[in-house]
Amino acid sequence: MILVTGGAGYIGSHIVRQLCREDEEVLVLDNLSKGHRKAVDKKAKLIVGDFGDENLLTEIFQKHDIKAVIHMAA
Ligand SMILES: NC(=O)c1ccc[n+]([C@@H]2O[C@H](COP(=O)([O-])OP(=O)(O)OC[C@H]3O[C@@H](n4cnc5c(N)ncnc54)[C@H](O)[C@@H]3O)[C@@H](O)[C@H]2O)c1
């Protein structure tokens, strides 16, 4: 599974779409401060939260087998 932070944003949502096209499993972490829920490809799983939330990140990495992180939340 690939974690894309900011995956509901401009650049991130295009990356997510491309990864989904390539049949990758994608998890999006976005606090929706600038992004849009609708921009996230339906095949991806969206978690609404902040990448600065250490507890949330720990939970994400415990629950999912993350093989790569693409950090577009900024
Ligand atoms: N848009 C461009 O042309 C361009 C060009 C070069 C580099 N960049 C860089 O790419 C990155 C993304 O740019 P973009 O245009 O997609 O911006 P964007 O604002 O559309 O996307 C950023 C996403 O990150 C989310 N986000 C912000 N802070 C967050 C946090 N603390 N936790 C979780 N999610 C958070 C926002 O809700 C948003 O969906 C930025 O670092 C930008 O500087 C963009």
Side-chain angles (χ1 to χ4, degrees), residues 36-51:
H36 305 275
R37 193 180 287 272
K38 278 198 299 191
V40 179
D41 193 296
K42 287 186 170 57
K43 288 187 203 148
K45 180 178 163 59
L46 170 66
I47 293 177
V48 178
D50 197 297
F51 72 79

Side-chain angles (χ1 to χ4, degrees), residues 6 8-12 29-35 49-52 72-74:
Y10 177 49
I11 305 278
L29 175 61
D30 198 302
N31 65 5
L32 300 181
S33 59
K34 293 242 173 97
D50 197 297
F51 72 79
M72 297 311 301

Side-chain angles (χ1 to χ4, degrees), residues 5-72:
T5 69
Y10 177 49
I11 305 278
S13 63
H14 285 279
I15 291 172
V16 170
R17 198 164 307 142
Q18 184 60 34
L19 290 170
C20 288
R21 265 191 212 126
E22 293 174 19
D23 287 331
E24 293 286 354
E25 273 191 293
V26 182
L27 182 62
V28 170
L29 175 61
D30 198 302
N31 65 5
L32 300 181
S33 59
K34 293 242 173 97
H36 305 275
R37 193 180 287 272
K38 278 198 299 191
V40 179
D41 193 296
K42 287 186 170 57
K43 288 187 203 148
K45 180 178 163 59
L46 170 66
I47 293 177
V48 178
D50 197 297
F51 72 79
D53 181 342
E54 205 176 319
N55 291 332
L56 177 60
L57 282 190
T58 301
E59 192 187 318
I60 287 172
F61 278 89
Q62 279 172 353
K63 274 195 187 159
H64 303 278
D65 183 22
I66 306 289
K67 64 178 179 180
V69 179
I70 302 177
H71 181 46
M72 297 311 301

